[in-house]
Amino acid sequence: MKNFITKPPMGWNSWDCYGAGVTEDELLGNAEFMRDRLKKYGYQYVVCDIQWYEPLAKGNVYNNFADLCMDEYSRLIPAVNRFPSSANGAGFKPIADKIHSMGLKFGIHIMRGIPRQAVHRNTRIYGTTARARDIASGFSLCPWNTDMYGVDTEKRGAEEYYDSLFKLYASWGVDFVKVDDIANTEFSPQNPYSAEKEIEMIRAAIDRSGRDMVLSLSPGPAPLNKAEHLSENANMWRISGDFWDRWDKLLDMFSLCEKWYPYVKDGSFPDCDILPLGKLCIDGSYMGDMGRDSGFTNEEQKTMMTLWSVFRSPLFFGGELRLTDDYTLSLVTNPEVINVNQNSEKPLFVYNKGGIEVWQTQIKNGTAVAVFNLSDEEKCNKLKFSDLGIVGGCAVRDLWARKDVSKCEKDLTVSLKPHSLAFFGLY
């Protein structure tokens, strides 16, 4: 069922470094690194992003109306040239088995709907006499990818189609499914959030599959007025468009988190998107140079990691793990910062005054407080405990430095360089 997880999922996603072109060797190589270097900090999901069924996929430029790999029941299957172990109908099971043997979990990306080529060929749907053409909604199209038609949830066979998908994924051993072109309003401006019933059908199909799977919905921005529906059906959902390593994108994320924090709760996590850290764009050049390092400064990277943690966003690393530098690894493996992400409750936006933004959340025996300088100037801020609902003095611990600072009676003065932050535990 949906609430089998209580903490924000943590892992790696192939999109930021490989786009649509990731291969079996690259997936397993990153899984091995996670096993050896990140697993002990809580990272566990290895997610194969978009178009694993497209033999010629590369980078983030899609081949329009490509010939996709598909079984006789209208279900997309891995491209054997990229995932050799999937041959002879094995699907992703051999890869999932290897990842599970490492003590990790395996995830895939899918697009909402049914393949266009299934509709054009009018192929069968498992468990029903209906065929692909019977359930397709030809006017429900993704504006940025040509692989799929939407599904008409009112048609006989629609439920059986989604049931057959998730039973197949369950047989492969899939633990996480990212469903795309479903969480925002852009794909159908005339009928915002028109995939609401499709989300419910997917939720029910997962529940009937016999296997626990995290349900992640993309892309954003998800509509705030559908927060309750999202929370009822998904474990995580994107609150922004694709997030990349630019300061303006990070500034926008603060504004989005201010709107979404009331909806953060165990099992339901508004998602700030993949962390664009480390070595990015290995397979193609997009949003910057091919094979580049993250465009964020060290302080901006720390600012991003702190916001994701205090807000309790899922933590998915985006870079090629095997090429990650020591500084970046230190950011994503700080146990005290990760503890806030995983074990806090009730994130709260406190205020933004003159470019200083303050957040807090409750941790065991205390309060975690983040003070961000979002301006382009050095700032000095007096953090008043009364603004945080704290009466009297408290001990202060620097969570990034992992050391005690002092005991303060009423307030704490913080000097911050541009685009930097301080992250404290108050006890």
Side-chain angles (χ1 to χ4, degrees), residues 61-335:
V61 178
Y62 305 114
N63 299 314
N64 289 336
F65 306 106
D67 189 18
L68 310 178
C69 298
M70 187 178 76
D71 73 7
E72 62 182 308
Y73 296 111
S74 309
R75 302 176 298 192
L76 296 172
I77 56 176
V80 174
N81 66 315
R82 293 169 54 200
F83 305 96
S85 69
S86 70
N88 302 315
F92 271 129
K93 190 175 190 309
I95 290 178
D97 286 348
K98 288 182 179 179
I99 289 174
H100 292 154
S101 73
M102 301 179 201
L104 303 173
K105 297 181 182 294
F106 176 61
I108 60 173
H109 170 292
I110 67 171
M111 295 291 291
R112 169 184 68 93
I114 188 166
R116 289 194 190 192
Q117 72 181 37
V119 177
H120 298 160
R121 299 173 189 174
N122 204 24
T123 45
R124 292 189 292 168
I125 295 171
Y126 186 85
T128 177
T129 57
R131 288 182 172 261
R133 204 169 294 165
D134 298 324
I135 70 169
S137 178
F139 295 101
S140 179
L141 303 172
C142 175
W144 43 267
N145 180 280
T146 60
D147 293 344
M148 315 292 277
Y149 287 123
V151 165
D152 185 339
T153 57
E154 301 300 321
K155 294 294 182 66
R156 182 179 62 85
E159 183 176 279
E160 287 85 351
Y161 169 69
Y162 271 122
D163 281 350
S164 75
L165 281 188
F166 285 92
K167 285 177 181 175
L168 177 65
Y169 303 155
S171 75
W172 289 347
V174 171
D175 306 295
F176 180 108
V177 181
K178 174 183 174 182
V179 184
D180 212 339
D181 190 37
I182 201 167
N184 71 346
T185 60
E186 295 173 358
F187 65 81
S188 183
Q190 294 79 25
N191 188 14
Y193 202 63
S194 61
E196 188 166 351
K197 290 184 178 179
E198 213 161 345
I199 291 172
E200 293 170 6
M201 191 167 279
I202 289 168
R203 172 76 266 151
I206 292 174
D207 292 343
R208 287 192 290 262
S209 73
R211 185 175 183 84
D212 288 335
M213 300 182 204
V214 172
L215 176 57
S216 168
L217 302 181
S218 286
L224 189 65
N225 66 346
K226 294 295 182 177
E228 293 299 334
H229 183 262
L230 289 161
S231 182
E232 289 169 4
N233 290 280
N235 300 106
M236 49 189 279
W237 58 92
R238 286 268 301 283
I239 63 174
S240 74
D242 282 3
F243 179 78
W244 282 102
D245 47 328
R246 298 193 330 221
W247 178 248
D248 63 325
K249 293 268 189 184
L250 186 49
L251 276 179
D252 289 343
M253 193 63 73
F254 276 89
S255 298
L256 290 167
C257 290
E258 290 169 24
K259 298 175 183 176
W260 279 99
Y261 77 83
Y263 303 99
V264 177
K265 61 183 180 181
D266 287 357
S268 301
F269 302 103
D271 178 18
C272 296
D273 202 12
I274 304 166
L275 295 159
L277 292 169
K279 191 69 73 174
L280 306 172
C281 303
I282 304 295
D283 185 29
S285 174
Y286 42 106
M287 299 299 291
D289 295 335
M290 183 174 178
R292 72 179 189 277
D293 293 316
S294 177
F296 285 132
T297 67
N298 286 356
E299 284 302 309
E300 289 168 351
Q301 292 178 49
K302 191 178 289 187
T303 292
M304 174 180 62
M305 187 70 181
T306 303
L307 178 62
W308 267 236
S309 295
V310 75
F311 180 71
R312 299 200 79 198
S313 173
L315 298 178
F316 279 81
F317 194 94
E320 166 52 80
L321 287 173
R322 296 167 295 181
L323 299 177
T324 307
D325 61 277
D326 290 341
Y327 175 77
T328 303
L329 279 177
S330 74
L331 286 181
V332 299
T333 59
N334 183 305

